[in-house]
Amino acid sequence: MDAPPPDGLPRPPLRLLPTTGAEQVNQRIPFSARRPSDADPGDLTESMRHVAQGDKQAFSALYDALAPLVFGIVLKVVRDRAQSEEVAQEVMIDLWRQAARYRPEAGSVRTWAATIAHRRAVDRVRSAQAAADREHAQAAREHTTAFDEVAEQVESRLESEQVRRCLRGLTELQRQVVTLAYYRGLTYREVAEALRTPLPTIKTRMRDGLIRLRDCMGVTT
């Protein structure tokens, strides 16, 4: 079972400083202020073994040794420094929680940490991209020029002569709104700006125009 995180973790980024005859002190040290450690790979393996047993001092040493490496890898993938610090901190917590799973025969501690860091960084980028895609899709739905199923049926037949004839039966503003929305692909707001007409009026004219087109073409719902 993974060991629970030590007291004071996670917090962005902390260094655990042992003191003599006093309480343990937590001091903030930004990832960017850290320097790569020259810790021996064997020492790191031993530290990892102690971390797996819940040794907080061993984790402090491991943290100091690996934090610069982890942050550097994450920053190259994520690019954003603030997000990179968050991800790097998550990686260090992962190292604490998953210490018991480390196997020296599978690779060095640095390689293991680098693998976790890269995976976490890629996950963050993918998550951010997925969120951006969802926002884009939502924005597209909110600004779509279609008006319920009737609009979709009308749009599928806009190139027909019947539609052109029916368009001539609309009012000037209705015809302009429908033409700008469907032939030029403008949103309601863009149509309102192009015609210098209030947005509510544009939406009303679009609705009325589509209904008249539906009736003219005999479209049923």
Side-chain angles (χ1 to χ4, degrees), residues 93-212:
I93 299 304
D94 280 347
L95 293 179
W96 166 265
R97 291 173 174 166
Q98 300 181 35
R101 300 178 184 175
Y102 171 66
R103 296 292 180 269
E105 62 272 16
S108 70
V109 174
R110 289 182 181 278
T111 299
W112 191 56
T115 299
I116 295 176
H118 186 266
R119 183 172 65 246
R120 274 278 191 173
V122 170
D123 287 346
R124 174 61 68 94
V125 171
R126 288 175 176 170
S127 177
Q129 184 60 53
D133 290 344
R134 287 194 298 271
E135 291 179 3
H136 179 75
Q138 180 62 29
R141 285 193 294 270
E142 291 177 352
H143 293 86
T144 182
T145 54
F147 181 79
D148 64 32
E149 293 182 2
V150 175
E152 293 178 3
Q153 294 180 54
V154 170
E155 183 178 16
S156 67
R157 300 168 63 180
L158 274 176
E159 297 302 321
S160 70
E161 177 59 34
Q162 182 184 15
V163 173
R164 287 192 287 271
R165 174 178 60 80
C166 290
L167 280 171
R168 291 194 290 270
L170 302 181
T171 66
E172 180 64 23
L173 183 55
Q174 288 173 344
R175 184 165 56 253
Q176 288 178 322
V177 170
V178 172
T179 299
L180 288 174
Y182 286 108
Y183 283 98
R184 294 184 56 185
L186 302 186
T187 64
Y188 286 139
R189 189 171 300 280
E190 290 170 338
V191 172
E193 293 174 353
L195 298 179
R196 296 183 180 180
T197 302
L199 183 58
T201 301
I202 293 298
K203 292 182 177 180
T204 299
R205 295 298 179 271
M206 175 69 79
R207 180 197 62 201
D208 295 344
L210 290 174
I211 290 174
R212 293 183 66 173

Side-chain angles (χ1 to χ4, degrees), residues 35 47 59 62 64 73 79 83 95 121 135 178 204 207:
R35 294 293 180 269
S47 293
F59 179 72
L62 193 73
D64 287 341
I73 291 172
R79 302 291 183 179
Q83 288 195 54
L95 293 179
E135 291 179 3
V178 172
T204 299
R207 180 197 62 201

Side-chain angles (χ1 to χ4, degrees), residues 14-67:
L14 303 176
R15 181 180 182 184
L16 305 179
L17 302 177
T19 58
T20 302
E23 294 182 352
Q24 188 179 60
V25 178
N26 291 335
Q27 180 181 8
R28 294 175 179 270
I29 298 183
F31 279 101
S32 56
R34 296 176 178 274
R35 294 293 180 269
S37 170
D38 295 326
D40 183 82
D43 293 340
L44 292 181
T45 300
E46 185 67 12
S47 293
M48 184 63 74
R49 185 176 68 81
H50 287 293
V51 170
Q53 297 172 353
D55 188 324
K56 297 177 184 178
Q57 287 190 334
F59 179 72
S60 178
L62 193 73
Y63 195 106
D64 287 341
L66 298 179

